[in-house]
């Protein structure tokens, strides 16, 4: 029996993870499930999987969680401190599936027990790549990528020497607006941006896919995870979302990872690693697919990609500022305060303003401070834009 904990159990990644674990009840013992506002789902899954503890990130949701778990024998806890305590409970495998920078500290804390951390939370590497990798090294924790592109690269690298890698190509579906004329983008609505053509995911990452901010985050994530130079990392638009990434070697060979757009693939790979076990995913019929197409990602149309390149070049805490500014800009778009194209403008302004004041050293404190300052700056920039309307 392997002991597993799932952070963000009520989300899209968490539910896909639970789907795989629930298929093998004799294989896994569930230690902790954590969620946020969706207490009904959290309690239901905790009971179904007989978890030791269920934790909501929000104190005010704890009474309802307690009530729903009453008589089940499952512990209930609430608040960010309780999430960190859940990370201390011994587990063999932990899914980092919280959305946003809130996923960083639980992941760091989990790695401190020297466990295997399956990292879906891309914000961890974007905000604090060096800190995450150092923590893994210090505690001999195993870090496995779950983002589909990074899992694809990881799989293409099995048995290979990093020194033979020339480049990594990450594919992007192009999101909801890939076929829209550029002049229409400024008027894109929340409902339109929340509808992904190929993948079923949480709302925030779906909107980030439409703006290509998700891809921007993934380029930075790839740089950190695989220790690549910025000029070794490329993005290409691939509307079918079947090739997830390619690794180019110094002999000119390109190794592509192809699979259906189903996150259970990447999650299952991380769950079974280093083995490959059967997964309940659709098998591709190449003749039915017929063709795979690729388009230039065009950095003028997608300023998020240009900003990602600048962040990769700058390194250090710039990633934390980028991620935090992007999160606030996304909040602003979701709240109807700024338009779709304004998100990139807000992030760019925040990066310009914060650059001269970024600390050089990366510690948990400087990451937290940078995130807070980028939030403050982004709120000011968004406020100024709203006032100017
Ligand atoms: P969702 O929005 O579907 O789920 C997010 C999870 O985090 C939920 O369990 C949510 O709880 C919980 N949560 C929200 N806020 C907090 C908080 N402040 N503290 C603790 N927990 C919180 O997101 P996804 O599953 O789509 O994404 C999770 C992560 O995985 C993100 O970093 C995303 O970029 C990454 N990822 C996702 C992919 C996907 O297919 N969805 C693909 C690749 C990467 P509740 O819902 O109960 O409020
Ligand atoms: Mg991805």
């Amino acid at each position: 029996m392997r002991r597993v904990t799932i952070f963000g159990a009520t989300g899209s990644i968490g539910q896909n993870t639970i789907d795989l674990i629930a298929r093998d009840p004799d294989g896994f013992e569930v230690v902790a499930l954590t969620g946020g506002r969706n207490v009904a789902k959290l309690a239901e899954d905790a009971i179904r999987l007989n978890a030791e503890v269920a934790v909501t990130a929000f104190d005010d949701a704890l009474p309802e969680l307690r009530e729903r778990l009453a008589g089940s024998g499952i512990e209930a806890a609430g608040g960010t401190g309780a999430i960190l305590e859940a990370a201390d409970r011994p587990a063999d495998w932990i899914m980092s599936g919280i959305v946003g920078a809130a996923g960083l500290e639980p992941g760091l804390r989990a790695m401190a027990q020297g466990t295997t951390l399956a990292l879906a939370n891309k914000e961890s590497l974007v905000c604090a790549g060096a800190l995450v990798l150092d923590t893994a090294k210090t505690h001999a924790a195993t870090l496995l990528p779950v983002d589909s592109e990074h899992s694809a690269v990881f799989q293409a690298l099995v048995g290979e020497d990093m020194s033979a890698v020339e480049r990594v190509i990450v594919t992007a579906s192009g999101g909801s607006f890939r076929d829209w004329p550029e002049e229409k983008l400024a008027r894109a609505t929340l409902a339109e941006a929340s509808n992904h053509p190929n993948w079923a995911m949480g709302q925030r990452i779906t909107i980030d896919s439409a703006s290509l901010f998700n891809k921007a985050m993934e380029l930075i994530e790839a740089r950190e995870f695989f220790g690549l130079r910025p000029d070794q990392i490329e993005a290409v638009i691939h509307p079918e979302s079947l090739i997830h990434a390619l690794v180019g070697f110094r002999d000119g060979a390109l190794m592509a990872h192809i699979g259906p757009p189903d996150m259970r693939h990447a999650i299952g790979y991380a769950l079974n690693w280093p083995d490959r076990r059967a997964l309940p995913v659709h098998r591709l019929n190449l003749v039915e697919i017929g063709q795979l197409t690729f388009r230039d990602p065009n950095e003028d149309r997608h300023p998020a990609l240009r900003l990602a390149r600048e962040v990769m070049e700058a390194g250090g805490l710039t990633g934390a500022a980028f991620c935090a500014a992007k999160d606030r800009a996304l909040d602003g778009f979701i709240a109807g305060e700024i338009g779709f194209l304004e998100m990139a403008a807000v992030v760019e302004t925040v990066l310009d303003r914060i650059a001269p004041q970024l600390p050089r050293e990366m510690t948990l404190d400087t990451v937290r401070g940078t995130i807070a300052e980028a939030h403050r700056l982004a709120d000011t920039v968004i406020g100024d834009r709203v006032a100017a309307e």
Side-chain angles (χ1 to χ4, degrees):
M1 290 279 257
R2 289 168 72 203
R3 289 169 56 84
V4 301
T5 279
I6 304 173
F7 288 110
T10 50
S12 163
I13 288 287
Q15 289 293 300
N16 277 306
T17 309
I18 287 176
D19 177 87
L20 293 176
I21 282 171
R23 286 166 194 267
D24 184 9
D26 298 332
F28 302 102
E29 200 175 298
V30 175
V31 181
L33 296 182
T34 86
R37 295 266 161 228
N38 193 349
V39 174
K41 171 64 79 197
L42 181 61
E44 179 194 317
D45 284 336
I47 292 169
R48 181 162 65 101
L49 299 174
N50 194 25
E52 279 175 26
V53 61
V55 189
T56 164
F58 305 107
D59 295 298
D60 58 349
L62 180 56
E64 186 191 336
L65 181 63
R66 275 214 181 97
E67 202 173 299
R68 288 181 181 273
L69 291 175
S72 68
I74 296 165
E75 284 172 63
T80 39
I83 299 242
L84 294 177
E85 279 166 27
D88 293 338
R89 295 195 181 218
D92 304 306
W93 189 91
I94 298 184
M95 166 54 75
S96 165
I98 290 173
V99 67
L104 171 64
E105 288 184 52
L108 291 174
R109 187 88 164 238
M111 283 192 287
Q113 57 161 298
T115 186
T116 295
L117 188 72
L119 193 63
N121 178 268
K122 61 191 74 182
E123 293 85 353
S124 293
L125 282 174
V126 176
C127 290
L131 185 63
V132 169
L133 297 177
D134 283 353
T135 305
K137 204 168 164 192
T138 306
H139 300 283
T142 303
L143 197 58
L144 298 174
V146 171
D147 211 344
S148 56
E149 297 76 3
H150 306 74
S151 173
V153 172
F154 192 71
Q155 294 181 49
L157 286 173
V158 170
E160 303 287 353
D161 189 325
M162 274 312 282
S163 64
V165 173
E166 214 168 51
R167 60 180 175 151
V168 161
I169 305 173
V170 170
T171 60
S173 68
S176 331
F177 304 138
R178 62 189 180 206
D179 298 319
W180 280 35
E182 209 166 325
E183 53 283 4
K184 228 179 119 185
L185 289 177
R187 294 189 308 277
T189 66
L190 177 60
E192 288 163 337
S194 305
N195 186 12
H196 198 284
N198 304 345
W199 294 87
M201 307 183 287
Q203 186 191 40
R204 297 182 75 86
I205 184 173
T206 300
I207 301 170
D208 283 348
S209 297
S211 63
L212 274 274
F213 264 112
N214 180 50
K215 211 47 54 180
M217 298 273 288
E218 290 180 356
L219 295 179
I220 303 165
E221 188 186 2
R223 164 172 168 67
E224 299 297 335
F225 198 100
F226 299 106
L228 300 161
R229 296 188 313 272
D231 64 298
Q232 289 179 293
I233 309 169
E234 301 165 30
V236 66
I237 306 274
H238 168 47
E240 293 86 2
S241 290
L242 294 175
I243 295 183
H244 304 303
L246 306 95
V247 178
F249 294 93
R250 62 179 163 212
D251 60 356
L254 271 179
M255 299 285 276
H257 178 284
I258 309 186
D262 183 335
M263 280 311 292
R264 291 177 305 174
H265 225 135
I267 296 168
Y269 186 77
L271 189 61
N272 297 322
W273 181 88
D275 298 335
R276 256 187 211 281
R277 302 218 180 119
L279 290 175
V281 300
H282 171 68
R283 268 49 178 176
L284 294 179
N285 179 327
L286 295 180
V287 175
E288 259 170 33
I289 292 163
Q291 59 177 359
L292 299 173
T293 58
F294 304 94
R295 300 182 200 163
D296 177 19
N298 188 345
E299 291 190 5
D300 293 332
R301 183 182 160 105
H302 303 298
L305 296 180
R306 174 176 50 80
L307 294 175
R309 210 150 282 291
E310 290 169 19
V311 172
M312 288 193 289
E313 293 291 349
L317 288 163
T318 312
F322 175 80
C323 182
K326 188 278 293 175
D327 265 340
R328 275 298 202 264
L330 180 57
D331 291 339
F333 175 68
I334 292 173
E337 293 164 350
I338 56 171
F340 183 74
L341 291 180
E342 282 180 290
M343 287 192 282
V346 168
V347 174
E348 186 158 18
T349 308
V350 171
L351 288 179
D352 286 346
R353 290 190 191 168
I354 208 169
Q357 62 187 74
L358 282 180
R360 293 185 65 82
E361 204 194 348
M362 186 184 286
T363 62
L364 190 51
D365 275 347
T366 60
V367 172
R368 282 193 194 125
T370 302
I371 290 172
E373 179 61 5
H375 281 166
R376 196 189 63 75
L377 288 169
D379 289 343
T380 308
V381 177
I382 292 169
D384 290 348
R385 282 180 172 258
V386 172
E389 263 176 19

